[in-house]
Amino acid sequence: MLSSEAFSQTVLNWFDEHGRHDLPWQTNKSPYFTWVSEIMLQQTQVSTVIPYFLHFTDTFPDVHALASAPLDQVLHLWTGLGYYARARNLHKTAQIISHELGGAFPNTLEEMEALPGIGRSTAGAILSISMGVRASILDGNVKRVLARFYAIDEWPGAPKVQAALWTYAEHNTPTHRVGDYTQAMMDLGATLCRRTKPACLLCPIQSHCQAYALGLTHVLPKARPKKHKPLKTTIMLIHFNEPREVWLEKRPAKGIWGGLWSLPETEELPDTVLKCLPVIKHSFSHYDLEITPALVKKPECFQVEEAKGLWYNLDQPQQSLGLAAPVKKLLASLK
DNA sequence: AATCCGGGGAG
DNA sequence: CTCCCAGGATT
């Protein structure tokens, strides 16, 4: 069994030689840049995040710029990234930091975790990477590395297992170079200890890896127990005005596509439908959605109230709006 | 078609 | 506590 010191030192040595050192958020490891990148990386792969991160930090170079921006603009820059609650919480937290904390991020785990959208792992990442505070992370990469290293034979998402993994994660976290160690563990999981086809022959801790010793690397970590996925249907109404603009409405702040702009929806086809466009299939982790886009002549099936919506110019959208992914695709296809 | 992912919020 | 929610990418 590797001591915690040997574990972290081995991983750090590997990181110096083979880790990623040129990611856009590594050029300026400020709490702000680190925070924005960690939130974006929560559900999303590095390669997807990079262009969003560059555009986002270019538009909002610091926490004050983000705090004073309209939420619609923040959601606009998030369009396509998914999990829009992340963008809403990012905006909320920016306002707390800008208005209540004098522009400075907190430097303890407790205070950091109290901010909207920042949980234990993200707090640990920001503290260790941008401030050198000894704190641990347990993201998907680290969970996979530890589940294999200790040959944990249960789904890592189960609360009991998760608690054990946190104990291992904290045990191995070093007292020096903690930011590099955080990055190193993420890199190890992302580049070598991949979900499929792990590159065990290149792994610095292979000789102490339980899963490798037992020939279980392809089985661990155990998959989440699967659930039945229902199919839901909806009809999205497309209504043009005279200059050929489309009527959009803002969705409620909570729930699916919260705060984003979308087409009015209905359960049944109204009489005023001119024609239906091909069905759009959209898949979520917990249900499948079939959208029937319907062109309507007159908006008898919904209210055109200026306060609730807006007319969207397909050729030159004048506003910065967040759009639900299938709506964005649909609008583009209407041009 | 199946799998993955951090955190918030409701029960 | 435990469950449920949420979107796109990858395989």
Side-chain angles (χ1 to χ4, degrees):
Chain A
M1 181 66 66
L2 268 185
S3 70
S4 60
E5 290 79 11
F7 185 103
S8 58
Q9 197 53 55
T10 304
V11 169
L12 279 166
N13 289 342
W14 170 83
F15 173 73
D16 289 337
E17 184 110 3
H18 300 107
R20 300 176 290 190
H21 299 91
D22 301 310
L23 298 169
W25 42 90
Q26 292 178 319
T27 58
N28 175 1
K29 294 180 195 169
S30 65
Y32 175 70
F33 273 45
T34 307
W35 167 57
V36 171
S37 69
E38 286 301 324
I39 299 299
M40 287 187 172
L41 287 164
Q42 274 176 2
Q43 318 301 2
T44 316
Q45 301 243 331
V46 166
S47 58
T48 305
V49 163
I50 288 175
Y52 282 90
F53 177 83
L54 293 171
H55 190 194
F56 196 94
T57 51
D58 196 46
T59 308
F60 309 123
D62 57 49
V63 72
H64 304 294
L66 177 55
S68 56
L71 177 58
D72 269 335
Q73 192 189 5
V74 180
L75 287 168
H76 173 69
L77 292 186
W78 209 269
T79 293
L81 259 190
Y83 286 98
Y84 299 94
R86 292 186 292 170
R88 296 195 299 274
N89 284 331
L90 204 68
H91 192 235
K92 234 187 274 175
T93 287
Q95 296 187 327
I96 293 171
I97 291 173
S98 180
H99 301 153
E100 298 172 27
L101 304 180
F105 281 74
N107 62 0
T108 67
L109 204 53
E110 291 70 30
E111 295 171 286
M112 193 72 89
E113 267 190 88
L115 295 167
I118 301 180
R120 185 172 173 184
S121 186
T122 302
I126 300 169
L127 287 168
S128 60
I129 293 173
S130 71
M131 304 178 197
V133 173
R134 181 172 183 265
S136 307
I137 61 161
L138 189 65
D139 71 347
N141 290 310
V142 178
K143 273 186 208 169
R144 192 167 52 252
V145 170
L146 296 178
R148 283 182 175 147
F149 189 81
Y150 296 103
I152 292 170
D153 192 30
E154 288 169 280
W155 175 53
K160 230 181 70 183
V161 182
Q162 175 115 342
L165 289 171
W166 267 115
T167 304
Y168 286 126
E170 292 184 330
H171 174 74
N172 288 327
T173 301
T175 51
H176 75 294
R177 293 192 65 191
V178 67
D180 285 345
Y181 177 77
T182 290
Q183 189 64 54
M185 287 298 284
M186 294 192 288
D187 286 5
L188 191 60
T191 65
L192 296 187
C193 198
R194 299 173 294 238
R195 188 165 69 88
T196 56
K197 299 186 204 165
C200 299
L201 298 184
L202 300 174
C203 179
I205 50 177
Q206 178 233 85
S207 58
H208 293 85
C209 177
Q210 298 290 308
Y212 185 81
L214 298 166
L216 296 175
T217 52
H218 62 294
V219 191
L220 303 180
K222 281 270 185 74
R224 158 200 279 273
K226 48 183 133 196
K227 276 185 292 195
H228 166 72
K229 232 174 149 183
L231 175 69
K232 300 188 183 186
T233 60
T234 189
I235 295 162
M236 288 192 176
L237 302 168
I238 302 163
H239 175 56
F240 285 107
N241 65 3
E242 209 32 73
R244 215 183 122 77
E245 296 164 326
V246 181
W247 180 249
L248 295 185
E249 293 180 354
K250 192 171 204 164
R251 302 185 60 90
K254 299 203 169 181
I256 178 177
W257 299 320
L260 299 192
W261 291 83
S262 186
L263 294 157
E265 287 182 46
T266 178
E267 306 247 317
E268 289 178 35
L269 279 179
D271 300 333
T272 50
V273 164
L274 291 171
K275 83 181 230 208
C276 291
L277 303 179
V279 167
I280 298 169
K281 290 174 191 259
H282 195 77
S283 177
F284 296 101
S285 55
H286 53 307
Y287 64 90
D288 291 316
L289 182 63
E290 282 187 0
I291 303 165
T292 304
L295 288 169
V296 288
K297 189 167 40 178
K298 286 185 185 169
E300 285 162 8
C301 37
F302 59 92
Q303 301 292 312
V304 175
E305 291 176 51
E306 294 300 327
K308 285 181 65 182
L310 56 80
W311 292 103
Y312 186 84
N313 184 322
L314 291 175
D315 300 312
Q316 39 198 336
Q318 53 283 68
Q319 309 90 339
S320 293
L321 304 177
L323 295 172
V327 175
K328 188 184 181 185
K329 255 186 250 171
L330 179 56
L331 292 177
S333 77
L334 290 175
K335 277 201 212 181

